[in-house]
Amino acid sequence: MSELVPVAGEDEVYRLLDSLRILDAPASRIKILRRAVRAYLGHNPDTRTTAFDMYPRTPAHAATRINWKWHITNGPDRAHPEYDGPDRILRPAGYLATLLIEQECDLPQCEMGVHLDSGEECRLCRYREVERIGLAESKRLDAEHRALLQQQRDGAAVDRRSAIVALYDEAVAANAAYDRIRAARVAAAAEADETARLREQLAQDHPELAAARSARIPRPREGEADYASAGRRGRRALEEETARAALMREGLRGTALDDAVRSHMVAWRADRRQGAHAGDPAARAVPVGAWPTGGRQQPEEAPCRPLGGP
């Protein structure tokens, strides 16, 4: 048959091939596809007899074969220009032509595992049986994959919730600790201010109580020397506290107050030493340069030892 004579059903097959959008030109203008389509529909241009001459196929058979084999062999990805994997389809027109006219079963009436004359499944190639097994395995793997993805999503969601709860608990604990520290600092500052205010007010209202504070100094437990030392420390403490209260009434605070109290105590100790020396008659009676006797009477006839002598 001449290629110029139209064949029933070929336009429908051409439209199906064009819908794949992988051909450089319409399928009806590509010679290898025109010959394959005509041979598949039972109009073989060659003299060699094929299975399609004995059992011509219809456009519906062509649609089933193209849709199934094109997608099961990953044709769209393998024919893409940017595909760099194995078995890349370099000539889509020749690949589709082979897909149409190849006969996988030795029985000419077998079309993808079904006999065209009886409608029964082919027991020679068992194409349909293998197809069902493949579909079942594919569904099983897909279900397992979906279950695994769902399990991973659930686990990730649980981990995220746990992490969020842990971070929230840490933030709450940190805020509570900060609030406690801030409250303690505020309370301590308020207590210190109130204590200073009460001391200043007490010193202003009852200055006579300053003299009575020395009675609260504990008595020494051993020896008169310790008692005298404790008395001196008590007097120094009383004097320092009295001076501090007086300087605070004058408005001094902080470092200036400490410096003023220190200067006052230096002057006070100097006055104490000078007063003690002036009030001691024995110290005034001893000539300058005389040897101290510690209050004991030394005989006049006692020999004088030279320095460094025996």
Side-chain angles (χ1 to χ4, degrees):
M1 179 179 291
S2 175
E3 293 187 2
L4 299 177
V5 179
V7 173
E10 66 175 351
D11 291 337
E12 186 176 349
V13 179
Y14 292 149
R15 286 194 297 269
L16 177 63
L17 294 173
D18 291 336
S19 67
L20 299 178
R21 298 181 182 278
I22 59 169
L23 300 175
D24 297 333
S28 60
R29 297 182 182 180
I30 301 175
K31 184 176 181 180
I32 189 173
L33 281 178
R34 287 179 57 85
R35 293 174 64 86
V37 169
R38 286 172 172 258
Y40 186 76
L41 297 176
H43 301 277
N44 187 10
D46 298 332
T47 58
R48 183 171 57 91
T49 303
T50 65
F52 308 112
D53 295 332
M54 302 173 59
Y55 294 92
R57 272 55 168 178
T58 65
H61 292 143
T64 302
R65 176 177 285 226
I66 293 174
N67 288 332
W68 173 253
K69 289 190 175 183
W70 174 251
H71 292 288
I72 200 174
T73 57
N74 197 21
D77 292 338
R78 292 165 55 200
H80 196 276
E82 297 181 358
Y83 178 78
D84 56 357
D87 299 330
R88 179 180 177 182
I89 300 176
L90 299 177
R91 298 177 57 196
Y95 183 83
L96 290 174
T98 304
L99 183 148
L100 276 174
I101 62 176
E102 66 179 356
Q103 182 66 8
E104 298 172 346
C105 185
D106 294 336
L107 298 177
Q109 71 271 27
C110 179
E111 174 63 22
M112 297 184 65
V114 178
H115 289 178
L116 296 177
D117 51 359
S118 63
E120 296 179 354
E121 291 186 6
C122 182
R123 297 190 179 185
L124 180 62
C125 66
R126 296 185 179 275
Y127 186 90
R128 292 292 181 177
E129 182 180 354
V130 174
E131 178 185 346
R132 287 194 298 270
I133 295 175
L135 287 176
E137 184 67 15
S138 177
K139 290 181 180 179
R140 184 185 65 82
L141 294 177
D142 185 66
E144 292 181 357
H145 181 66
R146 290 177 181 273
L148 180 60
L149 290 179
Q150 185 62 36
Q151 183 179 0
Q152 291 176 351
R153 286 193 293 267
D154 295 341
V158 171
D159 294 340
R160 286 195 297 270
R161 287 195 295 269
S162 300
I164 292 173
V165 171
L167 291 175
Y168 177 77
D169 293 341
E170 291 179 2
V172 171
N175 289 334
Y178 175 75
D179 292 340
R180 289 194 298 270
I181 294 173
R182 183 176 58 182
R185 289 178 177 177
V186 171
E191 184 177 358
D193 293 340
E194 182 65 14
T195 301
R197 187 187 66 80
L198 292 175
R199 286 182 178 177
E200 182 177 357
Q201 183 178 356
L202 183 63
Q204 292 177 357
D205 297 342
H206 303 282
E208 68 278 3
L209 294 179
R213 293 182 182 178
S214 59
R216 293 195 298 269
I217 300 176
R219 294 180 59 83
R221 296 182 179 180
E222 298 179 357
E224 296 180 357
D226 292 339
Y227 177 74
S229 176
R232 287 193 297 272
R233 287 195 299 270
R235 287 192 293 272
R236 284 198 300 269
L238 176 61
E239 180 62 26
E240 182 176 352
E241 187 173 356
T242 303
R244 184 177 295 275
L247 292 171
M248 288 178 65
R249 288 195 298 271
E250 295 177 2
L252 293 180
R253 295 291 187 275
T255 305
L257 176 62
D258 295 338
D259 294 342
V261 171
R262 192 179 299 108
S263 300
H264 174 80
M265 293 306 297
V266 170
W268 179 80
R269 284 193 294 271
D271 292 341
R272 294 280 296 176
R273 286 195 297 271
Q274 185 177 1
H277 182 74
D280 188 359
R284 292 196 303 270
V286 176
V288 177
W291 186 264
T293 61
R296 297 188 300 274
Q297 186 68 28
Q298 184 177 7
E300 295 181 359
E301 64 276 8
C304 180
R305 296 182 181 181
L307 294 175

